[in-house]
Amino acid sequence: MTHILSSERLASGLAEVAQVLLPGEDGYAESASALFADGSPDLVVRPHDAAGVAAALRHASDAGLAVTVRSGGHSMAGLSTNTHGMVIDTRRMNRVRLLDAASGRVRVGAGATWGEVAAALSRHGLALSSGDTSQVGVGGLTLGGGIGWMARRYGLVIDSLAAVQMVTVDGRMIGADTAEHADLFWALRGGGGNFGVAVGFDFIAQPITTVRFGTIGYRTDDLPRLIAGWRDLVRASDENLTTTLNLMPATPGHPEGVSLTCCYAGSDGAEAERALRPFRELAPVVSDDIRVVPYAEVFQDVTALPPGMRMAVRNTFFSTLDGARVTAVHDLFTGGGAAISLRGMGGAVARVGRDATAFAHRDAEVMVAAAFPVPESAPPGHLDQALRRWSRVSLLGSGAYVGFLGSADHADVAAAYPADTYRRLATVKRRYDPDNILRRTHNILPGRP
């Protein structure tokens, strides 16, 4: 009873600056549940603005509540919700504003989704390279680095980032960029939500209206040869073209398949066709729906996982996709049960210095990610067996992209970054969150004084 009354007092104190939801109230379940996890927080706070975020943090600190910050709710490690804590749901802070038409500078609320951003910017003939899906939140994707459909042309999401507006754990509103709080700005570009609650982002958008986007489906009896052929083509390809090779296992009603998703972000149709032609000749083509579309239409929708099913997701970076790594990916896929994606890197991503941002994997040729469906009815050890198969791939890789990291234990988080990057992140963490209030993240532990 005391626990419930405490939450009710918190709700009353926050009512002027945020909508506060307690268990059982309308809207609570929507914020308490996320794509990869279900939670039962003591209360959900939906701030109207930065003042509401600051008040929520103060109340959580006074009550000793764990804090989860949610934007789109797509954390693969289940970090978009919690149990017996506070969820700060930023989705009401979703405004998208063009600040300067000449430079393309836009300000985006941390709770906006990338579908909302693309739709708003399209009215100005602008776009940002961003994630794969319309419902993914701007806050989470950006703070993790942001690998998107125009990465080879425009880099990561953080490479378009000019400033961040953030509420610190002690309730201060600060701005971080290359001049003010530069150490924090470095950390926010890849270090996740460890340092404060981001409420807004300034980006430099690009003059993009349409792209050539779609998927080529292949038939192949020699998967290693196809993977190696794709690698060779990526190395030589036009940087306007970003591709992902998808290896999908058979599922009920759907056969096993190999496909290539392509986004060409240049305006010259003839050049686009020249860039795409060798990929169409990589193996016998069974489908090809690449077409000119508004950039805002490239985003897919994500549906909820089937009842009784969860997904374990892992990823790593390959500096080079050599023969041993091709074989490891092939063996993981043919072993059954894993959906694998190989994302071509390079281009603009690689032209940013390794130490310029907390995302340090600039020299990677490929990011490989694997998703393992795990039924709740699976026998003990089922997931461990799948992850042992994954380990044969990860041992050939380096680090991980926290945006696709489906685990959150300290060893996995530390391994996601080069050692010197992690040490620098820990120093910034100590400066801005020394008591580790924001630990419901891919948590960087505060460094020692």
Side-chain angles (χ1 to χ4, degrees):
M1 177 66 75
T2 302
H3 197 56
I4 295 173
L5 291 175
S6 176
S7 293
E8 290 177 345
R9 284 195 294 271
L10 282 171
S12 176
L14 290 168
E16 291 186 3
V17 291
Q19 180 186 21
V20 180
L21 302 173
L22 299 176
E25 295 183 342
D26 288 345
Y28 169 88
E30 179 189 1
S31 292
S33 296
L35 184 64
F36 292 94
D38 293 319
S40 54
D42 284 353
L43 73 166
V44 170
V45 181
R46 292 176 173 174
H48 307 309
D49 52 24
V53 172
L57 286 171
R58 287 193 294 269
H59 279 280
S61 178
D62 291 345
L65 288 173
V67 175
T68 292
V69 182
R70 173 188 177 130
S71 53
H74 288 75
S75 167
M76 293 181 179
L79 300 174
S80 299
T81 188
N82 66 41
T83 297
H84 300 314
M86 173 190 286
V87 171
I88 300 177
D89 186 341
T90 65
R91 284 178 290 178
R92 289 192 166 196
M93 296 184 290
N94 64 347
R95 188 178 179 189
V96 181
R97 287 185 290 158
L98 178 62
L99 300 180
D100 181 61
S103 67
R105 189 174 181 122
V106 298
R107 180 163 295 169
V108 180
T113 65
W114 285 110
E116 292 171 337
V117 172
L121 294 184
S122 68
R123 294 192 286 270
H124 304 288
L126 298 171
L128 286 164
S129 181
S130 50
D132 302 343
T133 55
S134 60
Q135 306 106 312
V136 165
V138 167
L141 187 95
T142 301
L143 296 173
I147 299 175
W149 282 123
M150 297 190 291
R152 282 173 52 80
R153 180 170 183 186
Y154 293 120
L156 306 174
V157 172
I158 55 174
D159 298 334
S160 299
L161 187 61
V164 181
Q165 297 82 49
M166 194 187 84
V167 178
T168 62
V169 293
D170 57 1
R172 293 176 295 130
M173 177 69 179
I174 62 175
D177 57 21
T178 56
E180 300 289 332
H181 299 282
D183 60 336
L184 176 63
F185 187 55
W186 172 87
L188 292 172
R189 289 175 290 167
N194 276 283
F195 314 101
V197 180
V199 295
F201 301 89
D202 287 10
F203 297 102
I204 304 301
Q206 303 296 333
I208 291 285
T209 54
T210 60
V211 295
R212 281 164 174 79
F213 183 84
T215 298
I216 302 169
Y218 297 114
R219 182 179 67 253
T220 181
D221 296 322
D222 190 345
L223 183 57
R225 181 178 179 183
L226 187 149
I227 295 172
W230 168 75
R231 171 205 64 202
D232 293 343
L233 291 178
V234 170
R235 289 174 177 172
S237 69
D238 186 332
E239 290 185 2
N240 287 317
L241 180 62
T242 300
T243 63
T244 297
L245 187 64
N246 309 293
L247 313 179
M248 298 300 296
T251 57
H254 298 280
E256 179 180 293
V258 179
S259 64
L260 184 73
T261 305
C262 308
C263 183
Y264 188 90
S267 59
D268 189 307
E271 289 184 0
E273 289 305 309
R274 280 194 293 272
L276 289 164
R277 186 177 301 118
F279 291 91
R280 287 174 164 139
E281 297 170 349
L282 185 57
V285 172
V286 297
S287 63
D288 183 345
D289 64 3
I290 297 175
R291 62 203 183 281
V292 177
V293 298
Y295 178 69
E297 294 183 10
V298 307
F299 299 96
Q300 301 172 340
D301 292 333
V302 175
T303 56
L305 296 174
M309 183 71 69
R310 61 191 178 98
M311 196 73 70
V313 182
R314 297 293 187 272
N315 76 89
T316 192
F317 292 96
F318 289 161
S319 58
T320 181
L321 186 55
D322 60 11
R325 292 171 173 86
V326 169
T327 298
V329 170
H330 170 263
D331 291 348
L332 176 63
F333 182 62
T334 55
I340 301 172
S341 68
L342 300 169
R343 291 178 176 243
M345 304 286 282
V349 176
R351 286 196 291 275
V352 176
R354 176 184 181 275
D355 299 327
T357 65
F359 182 101
H361 307 290
R362 297 291 181 166
D363 62 349
E365 182 169 67
V366 169
M367 183 185 77
V368 54
F372 302 90
V374 182
E376 290 181 0
S377 59
H382 176 85
L383 178 57
D384 290 341
Q385 183 179 12
L387 295 181
R388 279 196 296 272
R389 293 172 52 222
W390 163 253
S391 69
R392 298 167 195 158
V393 174
S394 64
L395 286 172
L396 297 172
S398 174
Y401 171 46
V402 294
F404 282 179
L405 187 57
S407 59
D409 63 61
H410 292 312
D412 285 346
V413 174
Y417 299 95
D420 55 345
T421 301
Y422 188 90
R423 285 192 293 269
R424 187 174 172 185
L425 285 168
T427 299
V428 178
K429 176 74 170 181
R430 184 180 72 238
R431 185 171 299 140
Y432 290 92
D433 185 16
D435 297 323
N436 204 16
I437 301 300
L438 296 173
R439 57 188 177 273
R440 282 285 303 167
T441 61
H442 285 105
N443 191 215
I444 305 294
L445 297 177
R448 295 177 181 177

mmCIF file of all heavy atoms in Angstrom, residues 27-45 66-89 91 408 439-441:
data_model
loop_
_atom_site.group_PDB
_atom_site.id
_atom_site.type_symbol
_atom_site.label_atom_id
_atom_site.label_comp_id
_atom_site.label_asym_id
_atom_site.label_seq_id
_atom_site.Cartn_x
_atom_site.Cartn_y
_atom_site.Cartn_z
ATOM 1 N N GLY A 27 -3.776 4.206 -21.513
ATOM 2 C CA GLY A 27 -2.492 4.599 -22.090
ATOM 3 C C GLY A 27 -1.292 4.004 -21.386
ATOM 4 O O GLY A 27 -0.189 3.987 -21.951
ATOM 5 N N TYR A 28 -1.482 3.524 -20.158
ATOM 6 C CA TYR A 28 -0.356 2.973 -19.413
ATOM 7 C C TYR A 28 0.256 1.773 -20.139
ATOM 8 O O TYR A 28 1.479 1.692 -20.319
ATOM 9 C CB TYR A 28 -0.806 2.563 -18.008
ATOM 10 C CG TYR A 28 0.211 1.743 -17.240
ATOM 11 C CD1 TYR A 28 1.180 2.362 -16.465
ATOM 12 C CD2 TYR A 28 0.201 0.348 -17.305
ATOM 13 C CE1 TYR A 28 2.128 1.609 -15.764
ATOM 14 C CE2 TYR A 28 1.133 -0.413 -16.614
ATOM 15 C CZ TYR A 28 2.102 0.220 -15.852
ATOM 16 O OH TYR A 28 3.025 -0.536 -15.173
ATOM 17 N N ALA A 29 -0.586 0.843 -20.564
ATOM 18 C CA ALA A 29 -0.082 -0.390 -21.180
ATOM 19 C C ALA A 29 0.709 -0.101 -22.439
ATOM 20 O O ALA A 29 1.694 -0.790 -22.747
ATOM 21 C CB ALA A 29 -1.236 -1.335 -21.479
ATOM 22 N N GLU A 30 0.310 0.927 -23.182
ATOM 23 C CA GLU A 30 0.997 1.266 -24.429
ATOM 24 C C GLU A 30 2.449 1.666 -24.172
ATOM 25 O O GLU A 30 3.349 1.334 -24.955
ATOM 26 C CB GLU A 30 0.269 2.418 -25.126
ATOM 27 C CG GLU A 30 0.913 2.865 -26.426
ATOM 28 C CD GLU A 30 0.307 4.139 -26.975
ATOM 29 O OE1 GLU A 30 -0.614 4.697 -26.328
ATOM 30 O OE2 GLU A 30 0.767 4.581 -28.038
ATOM 31 N N SER A 31 2.685 2.384 -23.075
ATOM 32 C CA SER A 31 4.044 2.804 -22.752
ATOM 33 C C SER A 31 4.801 1.792 -21.917
ATOM 34 O O SER A 31 6.032 1.788 -21.909
ATOM 35 C CB SER A 31 4.007 4.150 -22.000
ATOM 36 O OG SER A 31 3.564 5.196 -22.833
ATOM 37 N N ALA A 32 4.083 0.941 -21.195
ATOM 38 C CA ALA A 32 4.741 -0.047 -20.339
ATOM 39 C C ALA A 32 5.263 -1.228 -21.138
ATOM 40 O O ALA A 32 6.216 -1.887 -20.722
ATOM 41 C CB ALA A 32 3.779 -0.536 -19.262
ATOM 42 N N SER A 33 4.643 -1.512 -22.279
ATOM 43 C CA SER A 33 5.072 -2.618 -23.124
ATOM 44 C C SER A 33 5.866 -2.086 -24.309
ATOM 45 O O SER A 33 5.593 -1.004 -24.817
ATOM 46 C CB SER A 33 3.867 -3.409 -23.625
ATOM 47 O OG SER A 33 3.177 -4.013 -22.547
ATOM 48 N N ALA A 34 6.853 -2.848 -24.724
ATOM 49 C CA ALA A 34 7.687 -2.473 -25.854
ATOM 50 C C ALA A 34 7.796 -3.666 -26.797
ATOM 51 O O ALA A 34 7.320 -4.764 -26.500
ATOM 52 C CB ALA A 34 9.064 -2.029 -25.379
ATOM 53 N N LEU A 35 8.436 -3.445 -27.942
ATOM 54 C CA LEU A 35 8.488 -4.481 -28.967
ATOM 55 C C LEU A 35 9.193 -5.729 -28.474
ATOM 56 O O LEU A 35 8.765 -6.851 -28.745
ATOM 57 C CB LEU A 35 9.177 -3.939 -30.220
ATOM 58 C CG LEU A 35 9.227 -4.889 -31.421
ATOM 59 C CD1 LEU A 35 7.819 -5.199 -31.921
ATOM 60 C CD2 LEU A 35 10.062 -4.288 -32.543
ATOM 61 N N PHE A 36 10.275 -5.564 -27.720
ATOM 62 C CA PHE A 36 11.083 -6.708 -27.310
ATOM 63 C C PHE A 36 10.982 -7.012 -25.817
ATOM 64 O O PHE A 36 11.763 -7.807 -25.300
ATOM 65 C CB PHE A 36 12.553 -6.471 -27.681
ATOM 66 C CG PHE A 36 12.801 -6.474 -29.163
ATOM 67 C CD1 PHE A 36 12.806 -5.297 -29.889
ATOM 68 C CD2 PHE A 36 13.012 -7.664 -29.846
ATOM 69 C CE1 PHE A 36 13.038 -5.294 -31.258
ATOM 70 C CE2 PHE A 36 13.239 -7.675 -31.221
ATOM 71 C CZ PHE A 36 13.245 -6.493 -31.928
ATOM 72 N N ALA A 37 10.047 -6.380 -25.121
ATOM 73 C CA ALA A 37 9.928 -6.633 -23.681
ATOM 74 C C ALA A 37 8.573 -6.142 -23.182
ATOM 75 O O ALA A 37 7.982 -5.220 -23.749
ATOM 76 C CB ALA A 37 11.048 -5.923 -22.922
ATOM 77 N N ASP A 38 8.106 -6.760 -22.120
ATOM 78 C CA ASP A 38 6.938 -6.289 -21.379
ATOM 79 C C ASP A 38 7.403 -5.821 -20.011
ATOM 80 O O ASP A 38 8.289 -6.437 -19.399
ATOM 81 C CB ASP A 38 5.901 -7.405 -21.210
ATOM 82 C CG ASP A 38 5.276 -7.805 -22.540
ATOM 83 O OD1 ASP A 38 4.982 -6.901 -23.344
ATOM 84 O OD2 ASP A 38 5.105 -9.018 -22.771
ATOM 85 N N GLY A 39 6.817 -4.742 -19.542
ATOM 86 C CA GLY A 39 7.211 -4.220 -18.248
ATOM 87 C C GLY A 39 6.003 -3.861 -17.405
ATOM 88 O O GLY A 39 4.861 -3.851 -17.880
ATOM 89 N N SER A 40 6.267 -3.551 -16.142
ATOM 90 C CA SER A 40 5.220 -3.092 -15.234
ATOM 91 C C SER A 40 5.790 -2.000 -14.341
ATOM 92 O O SER A 40 5.971 -2.203 -13.133
ATOM 93 C CB SER A 40 4.665 -4.252 -14.408
ATOM 94 O OG SER A 40 5.722 -4.938 -13.739
ATOM 95 N N PRO A 41 6.120 -0.840 -14.926
ATOM 96 C CA PRO A 41 6.658 0.258 -14.114
ATOM 97 C C PRO A 41 5.627 0.775 -13.120
ATOM 98 O O PRO A 41 4.422 0.625 -13.332
ATOM 99 C CB PRO A 41 7.000 1.322 -15.165
ATOM 100 C CG PRO A 41 6.118 1.016 -16.333
ATOM 101 C CD PRO A 41 5.977 -0.473 -16.346
ATOM 102 N N ASP A 42 6.122 1.384 -12.047
ATOM 103 C CA ASP A 42 5.209 1.977 -11.072
ATOM 104 C C ASP A 42 4.446 3.142 -11.671
ATOM 105 O O ASP A 42 3.299 3.398 -11.298
ATOM 106 C CB ASP A 42 5.989 2.448 -9.846
ATOM 107 C CG ASP A 42 6.401 1.283 -8.961
ATOM 108 O OD1 ASP A 42 5.960 0.145 -9.232
ATOM 109 O OD2 ASP A 42 7.161 1.510 -8.005
ATOM 110 N N LEU A 43 5.081 3.864 -12.554
ATOM 111 C CA LEU A 43 4.387 4.947 -13.250
ATOM 112 C C LEU A 43 5.092 5.256 -14.560
ATOM 113 O O LEU A 43 6.297 5.003 -14.724
ATOM 114 C CB LEU A 43 4.288 6.204 -12.394
ATOM 115 C CG LEU A 43 5.522 7.063 -12.143
ATOM 116 C CD1 LEU A 43 5.095 8.420 -11.568
ATOM 117 C CD2 LEU A 43 6.492 6.392 -11.201
ATOM 118 N N VAL A 44 4.308 5.804 -15.481
ATOM 119 C CA VAL A 44 4.794 6.279 -16.774
ATOM 120 C C VAL A 44 4.605 7.784 -16.803
ATOM 121 O O VAL A 44 3.526 8.292 -16.461
ATOM 122 C CB VAL A 44 4.015 5.632 -17.941
ATOM 123 C CG1 VAL A 44 4.359 6.306 -19.261
ATOM 124 C CG2 VAL A 44 4.305 4.140 -18.010
ATOM 125 N N VAL A 45 5.658 8.490 -17.185
ATOM 126 C CA VAL A 45 5.604 9.945 -17.291
ATOM 127 C C VAL A 45 5.772 10.321 -18.751
ATOM 128 O O VAL A 45 6.733 9.894 -19.395
ATOM 129 C CB VAL A 45 6.705 10.611 -16.441
ATOM 130 C CG1 VAL A 45 6.609 12.133 -16.547
ATOM 131 C CG2 VAL A 45 6.590 10.172 -14.986
ATOM 132 N N ALA A 66 14.186 3.438 -10.352
ATOM 133 C CA ALA A 66 14.971 3.253 -11.571
ATOM 134 C C ALA A 66 14.271 3.979 -12.715
ATOM 135 O O ALA A 66 13.034 4.050 -12.763
ATOM 136 C CB ALA A 66 15.103 1.774 -11.892
ATOM 137 N N VAL A 67 15.057 4.528 -13.629
ATOM 138 C CA VAL A 67 14.517 5.332 -14.730
ATOM 139 C C VAL A 67 14.818 4.661 -16.061
ATOM 140 O O VAL A 67 15.968 4.285 -16.340
ATOM 141 C CB VAL A 67 15.118 6.750 -14.724
ATOM 142 C CG1 VAL A 67 14.641 7.540 -15.943
ATOM 143 C CG2 VAL A 67 14.753 7.485 -13.438
ATOM 144 N N THR A 68 13.794 4.523 -16.874
ATOM 145 C CA THR A 68 13.945 4.105 -18.260
ATOM 146 C C THR A 68 13.463 5.233 -19.154
ATOM 147 O O THR A 68 12.380 5.784 -18.931
ATOM 148 C CB THR A 68 13.116 2.843 -18.563
ATOM 149 O OG1 THR A 68 13.675 1.737 -17.862
ATOM 150 C CG2 THR A 68 13.115 2.526 -20.050
ATOM 151 N N VAL A 69 14.272 5.599 -20.148
ATOM 152 C CA VAL A 69 13.869 6.624 -21.113
ATOM 153 C C VAL A 69 13.457 5.923 -22.396
ATOM 154 O O VAL A 69 14.210 5.123 -22.948
ATOM 155 C CB VAL A 69 15.016 7.613 -21.379
ATOM 156 C CG1 VAL A 69 14.553 8.707 -22.341
ATOM 157 C CG2 VAL A 69 15.502 8.225 -20.066
ATOM 158 N N ARG A 70 12.266 6.243 -22.871
ATOM 159 C CA ARG A 70 11.716 5.580 -24.045
ATOM 160 C C ARG A 70 11.415 6.615 -25.131
ATOM 161 O O ARG A 70 10.853 7.667 -24.862
ATOM 162 C CB ARG A 70 10.413 4.864 -23.665
ATOM 163 C CG ARG A 70 9.663 4.286 -24.858
ATOM 164 C CD ARG A 70 8.299 3.773 -24.456
ATOM 165 N NE ARG A 70 7.579 3.285 -25.630
ATOM 166 C CZ ARG A 70 6.980 2.114 -25.714
ATOM 167 N NH1 ARG A 70 7.002 1.293 -24.688
ATOM 168 N NH2 ARG A 70 6.361 1.752 -26.816
ATOM 169 N N SER A 71 11.841 6.290 -26.353
ATOM 170 C CA SER A 71 11.395 7.091 -27.507
ATOM 171 C C SER A 71 10.491 6.213 -28.347
ATOM 172 O O SER A 71 9.285 6.144 -28.122
ATOM 173 C CB SER A 71 12.578 7.670 -28.283
ATOM 174 O OG SER A 71 13.516 6.689 -28.664
ATOM 175 N N GLY A 72 11.062 5.438 -29.286
ATOM 176 C CA GLY A 72 10.220 4.567 -30.101
ATOM 177 C C GLY A 72 9.861 3.242 -29.442
ATOM 178 O O GLY A 72 8.896 2.592 -29.824
ATOM 179 N N GLY A 73 10.655 2.810 -28.476
ATOM 180 C CA GLY A 73 10.363 1.559 -27.779
ATOM 181 C C GLY A 73 10.878 0.316 -28.476
ATOM 182 O O GLY A 73 10.308 -0.760 -28.315
ATOM 183 N N HIS A 74 11.978 0.436 -29.250
ATOM 184 C CA HIS A 74 12.470 -0.691 -30.042
ATOM 185 C C HIS A 74 13.800 -1.249 -29.544
ATOM 186 O O HIS A 74 14.509 -1.912 -30.300
ATOM 187 C CB HIS A 74 12.606 -0.280 -31.512
ATOM 188 C CG HIS A 74 11.297 -0.122 -32.214
ATOM 189 N ND1 HIS A 74 10.485 0.965 -31.991
ATOM 190 C CD2 HIS A 74 10.654 -0.900 -33.100
ATOM 191 C CE1 HIS A 74 9.384 0.847 -32.737
ATOM 192 N NE2 HIS A 74 9.465 -0.273 -33.409
ATOM 193 N N SER A 75 14.154 -1.000 -28.301
ATOM 194 C CA SER A 75 15.406 -1.552 -27.786
ATOM 195 C C SER A 75 15.399 -3.068 -27.886
ATOM 196 O O SER A 75 14.537 -3.742 -27.311
ATOM 197 C CB SER A 75 15.615 -1.150 -26.326
ATOM 198 O OG SER A 75 16.645 -1.914 -25.742
ATOM 199 N N MET A 76 16.369 -3.615 -28.611
ATOM 200 C CA MET A 76 16.434 -5.063 -28.792
ATOM 201 C C MET A 76 16.840 -5.792 -27.519
ATOM 202 O O MET A 76 16.644 -6.998 -27.414
ATOM 203 C CB MET A 76 17.392 -5.396 -29.942
ATOM 204 C CG MET A 76 16.868 -4.941 -31.285
ATOM 205 S SD MET A 76 17.988 -5.358 -32.631
ATOM 206 C CE MET A 76 17.053 -4.714 -34.038
ATOM 207 N N ALA A 77 17.397 -5.060 -26.570
ATOM 208 C CA ALA A 77 17.757 -5.656 -25.285
ATOM 209 C C ALA A 77 16.644 -5.463 -24.250
ATOM 210 O O ALA A 77 16.845 -5.772 -23.075
ATOM 211 C CB ALA A 77 19.051 -5.049 -24.773
ATOM 212 N N GLY A 78 15.497 -4.954 -24.676
ATOM 213 C CA GLY A 78 14.378 -4.771 -23.764
ATOM 214 C C GLY A 78 14.523 -3.585 -22.838
ATOM 215 O O GLY A 78 13.871 -3.524 -21.778
ATOM 216 N N LEU A 79 15.340 -2.593 -23.216
ATOM 217 C CA LEU A 79 15.625 -1.458 -22.345
ATOM 218 C C LEU A 79 14.645 -0.314 -22.509
ATOM 219 O O LEU A 79 14.891 0.786 -22.021
ATOM 220 C CB LEU A 79 17.058 -0.965 -22.613
ATOM 221 C CG LEU A 79 18.157 -2.000 -22.356
ATOM 222 C CD1 LEU A 79 19.503 -1.455 -22.795
ATOM 223 C CD2 LEU A 79 18.179 -2.420 -20.906
ATOM 224 N N SER A 80 13.511 -0.552 -23.183
ATOM 225 C CA SER A 80 12.505 0.497 -23.386
ATOM 226 C C SER A 80 11.458 0.520 -22.284
ATOM 227 O O SER A 80 10.556 1.356 -22.312
ATOM 228 C CB SER A 80 11.809 0.314 -24.745
ATOM 229 O OG SER A 80 12.736 0.401 -25.796
ATOM 230 N N THR A 81 11.551 -0.390 -21.323
ATOM 231 C CA THR A 81 10.602 -0.435 -20.220
ATOM 232 C C THR A 81 11.301 -1.018 -19.002
ATOM 233 O O THR A 81 12.490 -1.362 -19.053
ATOM 234 C CB THR A 81 9.350 -1.249 -20.593
ATOM 235 O OG1 THR A 81 8.359 -1.128 -19.555
ATOM 236 C CG2 THR A 81 9.684 -2.711 -20.820
ATOM 237 N N ASN A 82 10.582 -1.103 -17.870
ATOM 238 C CA ASN A 82 11.155 -1.697 -16.669
ATOM 239 C C ASN A 82 10.041 -2.217 -15.771
ATOM 240 O O ASN A 82 8.857 -2.116 -16.111
ATOM 241 C CB ASN A 82 12.054 -0.690 -15.930
ATOM 242 C CG ASN A 82 11.285 0.490 -15.366
ATOM 243 O OD1 ASN A 82 10.182 0.349 -14.826
ATOM 244 N ND2 ASN A 82 11.870 1.678 -15.462
ATOM 245 N N THR A 83 10.414 -2.740 -14.657
ATOM 246 C CA THR A 83 9.471 -3.201 -13.642
ATOM 247 C C THR A 83 9.775 -2.482 -12.333
ATOM 248 O O THR A 83 10.934 -2.424 -11.911
ATOM 249 C CB THR A 83 9.575 -4.722 -13.451
ATOM 250 O OG1 THR A 83 9.208 -5.367 -14.680
ATOM 251 C CG2 THR A 83 8.642 -5.213 -12.357
ATOM 252 N N HIS A 84 8.746 -1.899 -11.713
ATOM 253 C CA HIS A 84 8.861 -1.175 -10.440
ATOM 254 C C HIS A 84 9.775 0.039 -10.545
ATOM 255 O O HIS A 84 10.520 0.348 -9.605
ATOM 256 C CB HIS A 84 9.328 -2.105 -9.316
ATOM 257 C CG HIS A 84 8.404 -3.253 -9.055
ATOM 258 N ND1 HIS A 84 7.031 -3.095 -8.950
ATOM 259 C CD2 HIS A 84 8.650 -4.579 -8.899
ATOM 260 C CE1 HIS A 84 6.478 -4.271 -8.729
ATOM 261 N NE2 HIS A 84 7.427 -5.193 -8.705
ATOM 262 N N GLY A 85 9.736 0.728 -11.671
ATOM 263 C CA GLY A 85 10.491 1.963 -11.824
ATOM 264 C C GLY A 85 9.638 3.011 -12.499
ATOM 265 O O GLY A 85 8.409 2.963 -12.472
ATOM 266 N N MET A 86 10.310 3.981 -13.104
ATOM 267 C CA MET A 86 9.645 5.041 -13.866
ATOM 268 C C MET A 86 10.051 4.940 -15.329
ATOM 269 O O MET A 86 11.235 4.789 -15.636
ATOM 270 C CB MET A 86 10.029 6.426 -13.333
ATOM 271 C CG MET A 86 9.500 7.605 -14.175
ATOM 272 S SD MET A 86 10.215 9.198 -13.689
ATOM 273 C CE MET A 86 9.353 9.492 -12.133
ATOM 274 N N VAL A 87 9.091 5.020 -16.223
ATOM 275 C CA VAL A 87 9.361 5.151 -17.649
ATOM 276 C C VAL A 87 9.082 6.583 -18.049
ATOM 277 O O VAL A 87 7.972 7.095 -17.839
ATOM 278 C CB VAL A 87 8.498 4.188 -18.491
ATOM 279 C CG1 VAL A 87 8.637 4.517 -19.981
ATOM 280 C CG2 VAL A 87 8.918 2.746 -18.244
ATOM 281 N N ILE A 88 10.098 7.259 -18.594
ATOM 282 C CA ILE A 88 9.912 8.595 -19.169
ATOM 283 C C ILE A 88 9.703 8.406 -20.662
ATOM 284 O O ILE A 88 10.635 8.091 -21.399
ATOM 285 C CB ILE A 88 11.122 9.507 -18.890
ATOM 286 C CG1 ILE A 88 11.337 9.669 -17.383
ATOM 287 C CG2 ILE A 88 10.928 10.865 -19.551
ATOM 288 C CD1 ILE A 88 12.562 10.499 -17.024
ATOM 289 N N ASP A 89 8.460 8.546 -21.075
ATOM 290 C CA ASP A 89 8.074 8.335 -22.474
ATOM 291 C C ASP A 89 8.118 9.686 -23.177
ATOM 292 O O ASP A 89 7.294 10.562 -22.919
ATOM 293 C CB ASP A 89 6.670 7.730 -22.515
ATOM 294 C CG ASP A 89 6.226 7.338 -23.911
ATOM 295 O OD1 ASP A 89 6.830 7.839 -24.882
ATOM 296 O OD2 ASP A 89 5.280 6.548 -24.036
ATOM 297 N N ARG A 91 7.541 10.551 -26.264
ATOM 298 C CA ARG A 91 6.899 10.631 -27.578
ATOM 299 C C ARG A 91 6.050 11.866 -27.801
ATOM 300 O O ARG A 91 5.690 12.170 -28.938
ATOM 301 C CB ARG A 91 6.080 9.361 -27.823
ATOM 302 C CG ARG A 91 6.958 8.170 -28.186
ATOM 303 C CD ARG A 91 6.164 6.910 -28.381
ATOM 304 N NE ARG A 91 5.624 6.416 -27.120
ATOM 305 C CZ ARG A 91 4.853 5.340 -27.030
ATOM 306 N NH1 ARG A 91 4.513 4.676 -28.122
ATOM 307 N NH2 ARG A 91 4.428 4.933 -25.854
ATOM 308 N N ALA A 408 22.586 -6.699 -22.621
ATOM 309 C CA ALA A 408 22.956 -5.472 -21.917
ATOM 310 C C ALA A 408 23.866 -5.729 -20.727
ATOM 311 O O ALA A 408 24.018 -4.848 -19.881
ATOM 312 C CB ALA A 408 21.698 -4.726 -21.465
ATOM 313 N N ARG A 439 21.068 3.950 -15.646
ATOM 314 C CA ARG A 439 21.718 2.646 -15.831
ATOM 315 C C ARG A 439 20.856 1.670 -16.617
ATOM 316 O O ARG A 439 21.309 0.585 -16.965
ATOM 317 C CB ARG A 439 22.073 2.042 -14.478
ATOM 318 C CG ARG A 439 20.906 1.883 -13.532
ATOM 319 C CD ARG A 439 21.378 1.448 -12.148
ATOM 320 N NE ARG A 439 20.282 1.364 -11.190
ATOM 321 C CZ ARG A 439 19.847 2.388 -10.468
ATOM 322 N NH1 ARG A 439 20.434 3.575 -10.585
ATOM 323 N NH2 ARG A 439 18.849 2.243 -9.614
ATOM 324 N N ARG A 440 19.591 2.061 -16.898
ATOM 325 C CA ARG A 440 18.731 1.214 -17.723
ATOM 326 C C ARG A 440 19.021 1.526 -19.185
ATOM 327 O O ARG A 440 18.171 2.002 -19.939
ATOM 328 C CB ARG A 440 17.261 1.467 -17.387
ATOM 329 C CG ARG A 440 16.784 0.807 -16.105
ATOM 330 C CD ARG A 440 16.595 -0.680 -16.277
ATOM 331 N NE ARG A 440 15.649 -0.966 -17.374
ATOM 332 C CZ ARG A 440 15.485 -2.150 -17.908
ATOM 333 N NH1 ARG A 440 16.199 -3.166 -17.497
ATOM 334 N NH2 ARG A 440 14.604 -2.330 -18.873
ATOM 335 N N THR A 441 20.259 1.282 -19.565
ATOM 336 C CA THR A 441 20.758 1.546 -20.904
ATOM 337 C C THR A 441 21.750 0.430 -21.218
ATOM 338 O O THR A 441 21.959 -0.470 -20.415
ATOM 339 C CB THR A 441 21.513 2.897 -20.950
ATOM 340 O OG1 THR A 441 22.624 2.813 -20.046
ATOM 341 C CG2 THR A 441 20.610 4.054 -20.549
#
